[in-house]
Amino acid sequence: MNLLEMNHIKKSFEGGLEVIKDISLCVKEGEVVSIIGPSGSGKSTLLRCAAMLEKIDSGELIYLGQKVAWNDSHFKSVYMSSSDKKKIEKYYGFVFQNFHLFPHFNVLKNVIDAPERVLKLPKKEAEKKGLALLEQLGLSDKKDAYPYQLSGGQQQRVSIARALAMDPKILFFDEPTSALDPELTGEVQKVIQSLAKERMTMIIVTHEMQFARKISDRIIFMERGKIQAEGTPEVIFGTGNERIREFIGRLQNE
Amino acid sequence: MDILTMLKQLGGGMLVTVEIFFLTLILSLPLGLFISFARMKKNCFVQGGAKLYIGVMRGTPLMLQLIVVYFAPYYLFGMRINHYRFLAVILAFSLNYAAYFAEIYRSGIESMPIGQYEAAKVLGYNKVQTFVRIILPQVIKRILPSVTNEIITLVKDTSLAFVISITEMFTTAKQIEAAQTTILPLMMAGVFYFIFNFIVAGVMEYLEKKLGYYK
Ligand SMILES: Nc1ncnc2c1ncn2[C@@H]1O[C@H](COP(=O)(O)OP(=O)(O)OP(=O)(O)O)[C@@H](O)[C@H]1O
Ligand SMILES: [Mg+2]
């Protein structure tokens, strides 16, 4: 069964600009999918639609066979009730370009607050799990620090730990290293790579071509709100499609 | 009359002033939060109502509001309420200050980056948890300096209660002044307000420092 299924998704913003034009996408358990494409092509919007941070206008959104959104007779999407949506939200985690850590919580609290409040884990258990995650991500010595005291790379690793603490079935990353200084992207990429090794299901929007090539089972090339090409890294990087070759070439030479 | 007797008489007024101050704060701070919620609602009646309320409360003199609140039950409904004088003062002050606090809350809430809401949402927090655990603590830190300003103004505004003859500090001082023909009690009242505000400023500074543990 597909973990995530998006069928014929359409999304416009006020003003009528159609940002996602009939996109379909399936992700199986354990799959790592990268989305690449020029700026403004709708990559973030697609990811945000999957995470219910944006409402889709038309199409189906399905998690583990459960329909979260479906079309009514006028091909307008209707969503499940908000209490059911809350259950679906537990299936995924989201890592933002700008981290969005909670500045008033220290590192450990950032990681364990949601497990305690949302999953209702006992404090001891949540703490044990949070400390193990911080250890895994090399942040043990920072557990009492506040986000403003950390480097960008450390902050992003905390935000990954925060997402992992909820035991998500799938993780979404929206340009996880774009806000980082070049010398800090490596540490975050390494963490994502080790998650890929453990067969964590992930969708990653990225502009880092070598990174996408290394970790993805499948790469999706998006342009103007559509999936223009999709395939294994070998297929995408060896494509005869002029447009994609040019795009990849330009980013690699940067 | 010697200074000690004067002080003793002023003491009673002082107590009333302090009471007005704390009761107004306790009532207007939460009330202001609810008004700011209404002000930020999309429903245009709710929002319009809140806007009108805030407009009237901020656009007319507090002294006039005191008089209106005090006399309204009698002139509008013919009601005579026992011991209404003090209640009217608390009511008028709370309603007035809630309007100012509402706008301060709103500015703080609207200045919060959307990313905080989105991060909370994808972690599964519900609306109440998001507001209480994530948003409000940060809002309080942001608005503390403006709140301090309002609170200091409130200390001085309590003296307006004299228009409906509440015997708070200022009224008492005026009475002694009239009877003894000396401005000494008024000076003493001034010193009292100053010290009161000095303490208030100190407490607020302490709170600001306490919340300074993060940026
Ligand atoms: N909230 C919004 N309101 C209106 N328009 C929006 C909104 N969010 C995105 N857009 C528009 O939708 C289009 C696609 O944006 P999106 O952020 O999905 O692109 P992207 O592929 O992620 O680009 P980038 O690589 O620069 O992050 C852009 O033209 C953008 O201006
Ligand atoms: Mg984007």
Side-chain angles (χ1 to χ4, degrees), chain A residues 4 6 25-27 31-35 46-47 50 93 170-174 176 200-205 220:
Chain A
L4 167 66
M6 298 177 94
L25 165 70
C26 291
V27 181
E31 227 185 341
V32 177
V33 178
S34 290
I35 303 178
L46 182 64
L47 211 57
I170 179 167
L171 268 185
F172 301 118
F173 293 84
D174 190 5
M200 179 79 211
T201 315
M202 296 187 278
I203 304 184
I204 305 159
V205 172
I220 289 173

Side-chain angles (χ1 to χ4, degrees), chain A residues 48 51-53 86 89 92 94 96 100-105 109 113-114 117-118 120 146 148 162 166, chain B residues 113-127 129 133-135 137-138 212-215:
Chain A
R48 292 167 57 81
M52 296 197 283
L53 288 171
K86 278 271 158 252
E89 273 169 3
Y92 54 80
F94 201 105
F96 299 89
H100 299 326
L101 291 176
F102 303 130
H104 57 309
F105 289 165
K109 187 90 178 135
D113 194 67
R117 306 287 156 171
V118 177
K120 313 279 182 212
Y146 284 86
Y148 80 95
R162 178 176 73 172
M166 298 299 282
Chain B
I114 187 110
Q116 292 289 302
Y117 290 95
E118 292 187 342
K121 181 165 191 292
V122 292
L123 286 168
Y125 288 95
N126 63 33
K127 285 218 168 82
Q129 287 172 325
R133 298 197 58 75
I134 310 298
I135 304 301
Q138 298 183 56
Y213 69 89
Y214 70 93
K215 281 187 187 127

Side-chain angles (χ1 to χ4, degrees), chain A residues 162-215:
Chain A
R162 178 176 73 172
L164 287 171
M166 298 299 282
D167 283 327
K169 296 183 190 304
I170 179 167
L171 268 185
F172 301 118
F173 293 84
D174 190 5
E175 302 196 30
T177 60
S178 293
L180 304 179
D181 293 337
E183 69 269 22
L184 297 179
T185 58
E187 58 184 80
V188 171
Q189 289 180 352
K190 246 186 245 154
V191 167
I192 299 173
Q193 217 170 342
S194 70
L195 290 174
K197 269 204 200 96
E198 295 164 26
R199 308 309 303 160
M200 179 79 211
T201 315
M202 296 187 278
I203 304 184
I204 305 159
V205 172
T206 183
H207 284 294
E208 309 271 344
M209 291 304 122
Q210 286 319 311
F211 175 61
R213 183 177 203 162
K214 235 180 343 202
I215 65 157

Side-chain angles (χ1 to χ4, degrees), chain A residues 154-166:
Chain A
Q154 290 165 337
Q155 289 189 51
Q156 192 58 295
R157 281 185 285 149
V158 174
S159 95
I160 295 173
R162 178 176 73 172
L164 287 171
M166 298 299 282

Side-chain angles (χ1 to χ4, degrees), chain B residues 61-100:
Chain B
L62 176 52
M63 198 185 283
L64 181 65
Q65 291 167 21
L66 271 163
I67 294 169
V68 168
V69 170
Y70 181 55
F71 288 109
Y74 180 71
Y75 282 112
L76 291 181
F77 310 109
M79 288 194 299
R80 287 185 186 282
I81 309 170
N82 289 336
H83 308 297
Y84 182 56
R85 215 180 279 271
F86 186 71
L87 192 66
V89 169
I90 301 300
L91 210 60
F93 273 120
S94 299
L95 292 175
N96 178 276
Y97 271 81
Y100 285 93

Side-chain angles (χ1 to χ4, degrees), chain A:
Chain A
M1 189 175 17
N2 287 314
L3 210 170
L4 167 66
E5 212 175 301
M6 298 177 94
N7 294 323
H8 303 290
I9 301 287
K10 289 179 186 163
K11 169 75 189 171
S12 313
F13 285 108
E14 286 107 66
L17 176 74
E18 197 170 42
V19 176
I20 304 289
K21 299 167 185 157
D22 195 3
I23 282 188
S24 297
L25 165 70
C26 291
V27 181
K28 288 192 188 56
E29 206 155 313
E31 227 185 341
V32 177
V33 178
S34 290
I35 303 178
I36 61 172
S39 185
S41 56
K43 308 179 296 295
S44 299
T45 306
L46 182 64
L47 211 57
R48 292 167 57 81
C49 285
M52 296 197 283
L53 288 171
E54 302 284 356
K55 254 193 164 140
I56 58 177
D57 299 331
S58 171
E60 285 183 326
L61 177 63
I62 303 168
Y63 276 95
L64 286 170
Q66 299 169 72
K67 284 198 179 180
V68 176
W70 58 90
N71 280 331
D72 66 9
S73 54
H74 301 98
F75 286 92
K76 291 263 172 279
S77 289
V78 276
Y79 277 82
M80 66 200 322
S81 72
S82 5
S83 58
D84 287 339
K85 274 200 250 173
K86 278 271 158 252
K87 286 178 204 137
I88 298 294
E89 273 169 3
K90 292 183 183 146
Y91 290 168
Y92 54 80
F94 201 105
V95 175
F96 299 89
Q97 184 175 345
N98 295 311
F99 334 129
H100 299 326
L101 291 176
F102 303 130
H104 57 309
F105 289 165
N106 69 19
V107 166
L108 184 61
K109 187 90 178 135
N110 261 284
V111 176
I112 67 171
D113 194 67
E116 269 184 69
R117 306 287 156 171
V118 177
L119 302 179
K120 313 279 182 212
L121 286 191
K123 192 171 165 63
K124 279 265 172 308
E125 202 176 311
E127 244 173 45
K128 207 173 125 198
K129 194 165 144 193
L131 289 172
L133 273 169
L134 290 179
E135 163 106 57
Q136 188 191 329
L137 300 200
L139 291 161
S140 291
D141 54 331
K142 297 289 177 198
K143 71 178 171 60
D144 297 317
Y146 284 86
Y148 80 95
Q149 297 166 316
L150 303 180
S151 73
Q154 290 165 337
Q155 289 189 51
Q156 192 58 295
R157 281 185 285 149
V158 174
S159 95
I160 295 173
R162 178 176 73 172
L164 287 171
M166 298 299 282
D167 283 327
K169 296 183 190 304
I170 179 167
L171 268 185
F172 301 118
F173 293 84
D174 190 5
E175 302 196 30
T177 60
S178 293
L180 304 179
D181 293 337
E183 69 269 22
L184 297 179
T185 58
E187 58 184 80
V188 171
Q189 289 180 352
K190 246 186 245 154
V191 167
I192 299 173
Q193 217 170 342
S194 70
L195 290 174
K197 269 204 200 96
E198 295 164 26
R199 308 309 303 160
M200 179 79 211
T201 315
M202 296 187 278
I203 304 184
I204 305 159
V205 172
T206 183
H207 284 294
E208 309 271 344
M209 291 304 122
Q210 286 319 311
F211 175 61
R213 183 177 203 162
K214 235 180 343 202
I215 65 157
S216 313
D217 298 311
R218 181 153 51 109
I219 295 179
I220 289 173
F221 177 75
M222 261 181 85
E223 194 170 31
R224 280 181 249 107
K226 284 193 177 143
I227 293 181
Q228 302 290 359
E230 121 174 66
T232 60
E234 293 73 44
V235 169
I236 294 292
F237 278 79
T239 181
N241 181 322
E242 231 0 90
R243 186 64 198 99
I244 302 176
R245 288 175 77 97
E246 191 242 344
F247 174 78
I248 292 175
R250 197 177 55 216
L251 281 183
Q252 274 176 335
N253 294 336
E254 261 174 17

